[in-house]
Amino acid sequence: MEISYFREAAMNVIEHYINLRLAFMDTEEEEIIETTTAAISDCLSCTMRNTNHLINKMNENGYLNWIPQKGRGRKSALIFHLPLNDAASLNVKRLLKEKSFEEAYRYIMETKFSQSIKDTLLSGIQSEFGLQSITLSSGRKDTLKIPQETKIHTLDPAFIGIVHEAHIAYHIFDTLIRYDKNSKSYSPGIALAWDETKGGKEWTFYLRKGVLFHHGRLVEAKDVQYTIQRILNNKEIPYHTLFSGIKSVEIIDEITVKFVLEEVNYMFLDIMSSFFSSILPHDCVVNPAKPIGTGPYKVAKHDDHLLVLEVFPYYFLGRAFLDTIEIWHVPMSLNLENKKQKEPVNLSEHNIKTFQELGSFFFMFNMKKQGPHQDQCVRLAFQQLIDSKELVEDLGFPRRMPAYSFIYERSSQEHCLETSLTRAKQLLQSSMYKGEVLKLATFDFREAIEDMNWLKKRCDQIGLNIDISTINSTDIYQNDRFDCYDLIYTGETFEENEELSLYMLYSSEHSILRRALSTEFRLEIDEKLKMVLLEKEIKNRVDRFYFIEKWLKEVAVLVQTYHTLEEQNYHKALNGITVSGYGMPDFRHLWVKPKIDIEKQADASYSIYIP
């Protein structure tokens, strides 16, 4: 018998069937279950009359068999036919067709399905993601739907610590000036111009006229003062130390503001171009879920499942093309991720683009914790264990090349450290190591887990006992999260301004690298950083950063592994693709070349992958 799943009567029946099947999850299809109408009524939260009606409908539709028994104490027989995952898939299709993507998504996330069923259902709605162009009475509307595995913790620019959050913040806010990665110089942002006096100790910025916040007020010098003063006054802000050299922020007039520094700082423009310096309105309390900025997009909605960015038509640098960007939280298992990456791409409709990600993966010993790793010979043994070239060759994409520096260009020029398992074993034997377990933490993403499987085998070969734990990326916000581990493995993704990224890596209390350093190491790095700030030439600053990196590697506190590639496929209709330092597309410049139909311009959907 053919089942009509999309009849109005069947719409409610299929959901009731799913709820009933969930109540008997410890049974199999075609298994005889002894139960009563009253028990089923409780499961469905229905009256006895409605329960009988629903059971009859489910029976007619072939979902189950119901063999009633009459008489006191006698139980009826219930036999399920339709598997739960099939029923759930049919209901999700119904919701997509009859209601909305949002309702289908929320149904998947909020129903008590197993993770494997949720993964299957989420995989089934992948085609709903992408760019959709529809024609309304008010004109054409272009909406980009993006699945994102990482949950958004905050959009307050002063507290952001995760790459995905930084990328989103880049579209909500603006800074006084911008860094140009090609020329390694600065261009106007909210400030039209600036100048330096007193040998790098005073910096004056001249604001543009007519720049609007999302709530409709013009930007003024008081907003700049408020933004920076807010950071200076709150030592709980992770990157507070970036701004600690500011002595005062003085308002000259409504569109002119002067910064007076304690000491010469030739990285001050780098700091003012970072998203931490995004200008906030002084007349609003910062809402970390729905902050107000001046950027090309404003936050229209933000909850646990969905972030909606709507275009800000009065953006001072020109309206962005995309009208709406929806970012959906879609948690995926590793198996689903692997499946997604192996799905074939229609090359006739797509272009595959590969981008070099900035930064690298690395191990960092926790020098604040006591343990066998305080013996330098143990650390040197571990360093000899890590053959980055072999790691890249063994595990392949997205690993591009061994990292001998955080800066990719320098890695390509450096000679690799000679490593040997034999040498590693000799160093371990000559140390004070007595078989203790080294506790290692890494984040729960695919490359790191693959790397850890590779590492475990090599540790076993030299007799190094290691216990590996995976933690959530949002745990970075917990200051004491890494205190119990001897070793941390992570990746540092740099923004386009690599010099600023290095400065933050070594100076910020939010940096995993700095968190792992003892007081003695921190003090020595701080002295070296003071010399960096005195260098007016970028090349000299980069060299000084490299000396810090080289020193940490010589004492085997830092062990680097590799640089990665980001591969993305885009529909050929998508134009204006530029990629940020985080390896993600800049939404400001994306636009769509529509499918042309001479008789009628139809609505269109374009598949697009955004990491």
Side-chain angles (χ1 to χ4, degrees):
M1 176 175 61
E2 184 178 352
I3 302 171
S4 178
Y5 294 109
F6 298 107
R7 291 196 308 260
E8 184 63 33
M11 288 183 188
N12 292 328
V13 172
I14 190 70
E15 286 197 24
H16 281 297
Y17 175 80
I18 289 167
N19 292 335
L20 183 61
R21 190 68 189 89
L22 286 168
F24 290 90
M25 278 301 292
D26 55 345
T27 63
E28 302 291 332
E29 279 77 37
E30 310 306 327
E31 179 180 338
I32 298 175
I33 305 163
E34 290 189 344
T35 187
T36 64
T37 306
I40 292 177
S41 178
D42 288 339
C43 292
L44 299 180
S45 299
C46 290
T47 63
M48 293 289 284
R49 180 180 177 182
N50 283 340
T51 299
N52 282 316
H53 172 73
L54 286 168
I55 289 174
N56 289 333
K57 283 292 182 182
M58 293 178 199
N59 201 62
E60 289 174 14
N61 290 339
Y63 302 164
L64 53 75
N65 271 1
W66 175 250
I67 306 171
Q69 296 291 334
K70 294 184 178 180
R72 191 180 184 122
R74 300 185 68 183
K75 292 188 175 182
S76 301
L78 171 66
I79 304 170
F80 290 111
H81 296 317
L82 184 64
L84 179 59
N85 56 338
D86 290 348
S89 179
L90 288 167
N91 196 43
V92 167
K93 288 177 182 177
R94 177 186 70 79
L95 291 170
L96 287 171
K97 182 177 181 180
E98 303 293 335
K99 296 194 176 181
S100 68
F101 174 85
E102 181 170 352
E103 189 153 344
Y105 172 85
R106 291 184 186 279
Y107 176 74
I108 294 170
M109 299 303 296
E110 294 171 6
T111 305
K112 294 180 179 178
F113 294 124
S114 67
Q115 189 57 50
S116 63
I117 290 180
K118 285 189 177 185
D119 285 347
T120 300
L121 296 174
L122 289 171
S123 178
I125 65 170
Q126 286 291 318
S127 60
E128 297 295 320
F129 293 112
L131 196 138
Q132 298 173 336
S133 294
I134 59 174
T135 303
L136 305 172
S137 58
S138 56
R140 178 173 141 190
K141 182 176 181 180
D142 295 288
T143 300
L144 178 63
K145 285 188 174 78
I146 305 169
Q148 183 171 290
E149 186 173 1
T150 306
K151 209 162 193 175
I152 297 167
H153 181 81
T154 181
L155 291 175
D156 183 336
F159 286 89
I160 283 173
I162 297 175
V163 166
H164 288 87
E165 294 172 348
H167 180 246
I168 294 165
Y170 172 71
H171 296 86
I172 300 171
F173 303 101
D174 282 288
T175 50
L176 292 177
I177 57 174
R178 295 181 173 189
Y179 178 80
D180 187 303
K181 65 179 179 180
N182 296 318
S183 64
K184 293 189 180 296
S185 61
Y186 312 95
S187 59
I190 290 177
L192 186 64
W194 59 93
D195 55 41
E196 164 213 338
T197 54
K198 301 280 181 77
K201 289 184 71 173
E202 290 188 0
W203 301 80
T204 304
F205 294 86
Y206 308 93
L207 310 187
R208 296 176 191 262
K209 292 182 178 181
V211 177
L212 283 172
F213 282 112
H214 297 153
H215 67 331
R217 184 175 59 75
L218 291 171
V219 174
E220 56 190 28
K222 190 175 181 180
D223 299 307
V224 178
Q225 185 187 55
Y226 163 77
T227 298
I228 304 304
Q229 204 63 53
R230 174 176 181 256
I231 298 172
L232 293 175
N233 293 343
N234 186 355
K235 292 187 178 181
E236 297 301 314
I237 288 176
Y239 292 93
H240 169 86
T241 53
L242 275 178
F243 301 84
S244 59
I246 297 174
K247 185 177 181 180
S248 64
V249 185
E250 301 174 4
I251 296 174
I252 306 302
D253 60 33
E254 62 182 14
I255 57 170
T256 310
V257 61
K258 181 169 74 173
F259 291 82
V260 180
L261 310 184
E262 297 280 3
E263 303 290 344
V264 173
N265 182 353
Y266 281 109
M267 286 199 69
F268 184 69
L269 291 181
D270 296 279
I271 294 168
M272 298 313 294
S273 69
S274 74
F275 64 81
F276 303 113
S277 302
S278 297
I279 303 304
L280 301 166
H282 72 267
D283 56 346
C284 300
V285 176
V286 179
N287 181 341
K290 295 182 69 175
I292 294 172
T294 61
Y297 289 94
K298 59 183 180 180
V299 181
K301 179 178 182 178
H302 189 193
D303 58 29
D304 286 344
H305 299 309
L306 171 64
L307 169 67
V308 179
L309 302 178
E310 288 185 352
V311 71
F312 183 49
Y314 308 109
Y315 183 51
F316 68 96
L317 291 178
R319 187 194 191 280
F321 182 89
L322 299 179
D323 298 290
T324 306
I325 298 168
E326 297 180 3
I327 300 171
W328 293 84
H329 177 229
V330 181
M332 298 178 184
S333 69
L334 290 174
N335 289 336
L336 183 58
E337 273 294 318
N338 289 335
K339 179 181 177 182
K340 184 184 81 169
Q341 291 189 7
K342 291 174 184 175
E343 287 175 352
V345 174
N346 186 343
L347 294 178
S348 66
E349 294 185 351
H350 289 75
N351 288 320
I352 296 178
K353 294 182 179 290
T354 303
F355 306 97
Q356 176 61 54
E357 289 193 316
L358 304 179
S360 76
F361 277 71
F362 63 95
F363 292 94
M364 191 70 195
F365 280 98
N366 183 1
M367 300 308 291
K368 294 191 297 184
K369 181 180 179 295
Q370 291 303 309
H373 63 286
Q374 291 292 342
D375 184 341
Q376 187 170 341
C377 284
V378 173
R379 301 197 304 272
L380 288 168
F382 186 85
Q383 187 182 62
Q384 284 290 313
L385 192 70
I386 306 302
D387 186 331
S388 297
K389 186 176 180 182
E390 188 172 328
L391 172 58
V392 171
E393 290 173 352
D394 286 351
L395 301 184
F397 185 85
R399 303 157 187 85
R400 180 174 189 177
M401 66 172 286
Y404 308 122
S405 170
F406 285 115
I407 303 297
Y408 175 80
E409 289 182 3
R410 193 179 282 269
S411 275
S412 62
Q413 299 165 4
E414 289 290 316
H415 297 293
C416 65
L417 173 72
E418 291 187 9
T419 59
S420 158
L421 283 174
T422 302
R423 177 64 177 150
K425 194 168 186 176
Q426 290 172 347
L427 283 164
L428 196 62
Q429 290 172 346
S430 68
S431 72
M432 300 297 289
Y433 182 69
K434 302 299 181 185
E436 302 94 328
V437 175
L438 280 179
K439 295 182 69 177
L440 185 153
T442 192
F443 292 108
D444 56 350
F445 48 90
R446 182 170 56 88
E447 289 81 13
I449 293 171
E450 290 174 351
D451 294 347
M452 293 304 96
N453 292 333
W454 180 90
L455 171 69
K456 187 70 170 64
K457 294 175 184 176
R458 294 180 73 84
C459 287
D460 290 344
Q461 292 182 60
I462 69 166
L464 181 63
N465 294 320
I466 193 162
D467 177 57
I468 299 168
S469 300
T470 55
I471 59 180
N472 295 324
S473 58
T474 51
D475 286 357
I476 193 173
Y477 291 110
Q478 301 176 28
N479 290 331
D480 59 351
R481 185 65 178 90
F482 305 102
D483 290 356
C484 63
Y485 296 102
D486 305 297
L487 189 60
I488 303 151
Y489 184 61
T490 185
E492 187 72 24
T493 303
F494 284 0
E495 60 171 83
E496 293 176 340
N497 188 337
E498 292 178 291
E499 292 75 40
L500 177 61
S501 295
L502 285 169
Y503 187 69
M504 292 191 296
L505 181 69
Y506 295 127
S507 68
S508 171
E509 301 304 323
H510 199 60
S511 157
I512 291 176
L513 184 148
R514 187 172 176 90
R515 282 194 213 176
L517 295 174
S518 64
T519 301
E520 293 76 15
F521 274 98
R522 291 184 184 203
L523 290 173
E524 187 157 350
I525 281 182
D526 289 345
E527 288 302 313
K528 295 177 186 296
L529 288 176
K530 287 179 182 178
M531 301 305 296
V532 171
L533 302 182
L534 295 174
E535 295 287 356
K536 195 168 186 177
E537 299 298 323
I538 291 178
K539 180 183 180 302
N540 295 338
R541 293 201 295 270
V542 172
D543 287 342
R544 287 196 178 274
F545 280 128
Y546 180 66
F547 293 147
I548 297 173
E549 177 183 79
K550 186 178 180 183
W551 165 60
L552 291 174
K553 290 192 292 187
E554 285 173 351
V555 296
V557 169
L558 168 68
V559 181
Q560 292 161 324
T561 53
Y562 54 79
H563 300 283
T564 57
L565 284 174
E566 176 65 44
E567 185 178 89
Q568 301 164 13
N569 67 76
Y570 298 98
H571 197 283
K572 289 182 178 179
L574 200 67
N575 288 268
I577 300 170
T578 59
V579 177
S580 71
Y582 302 118
M584 301 177 201
D586 186 340
F587 300 142
R588 299 169 188 243
H589 305 302
L590 291 179
W591 65 279
V592 180
K593 184 184 292 184
K595 298 173 182 177
I596 302 299
D597 187 322
I598 296 174
E599 296 181 2
K600 178 184 177 183
Q601 178 58 56
D603 296 344
S605 295
Y606 307 91
S607 56
I608 170 178
Y609 170 60
I610 303 288

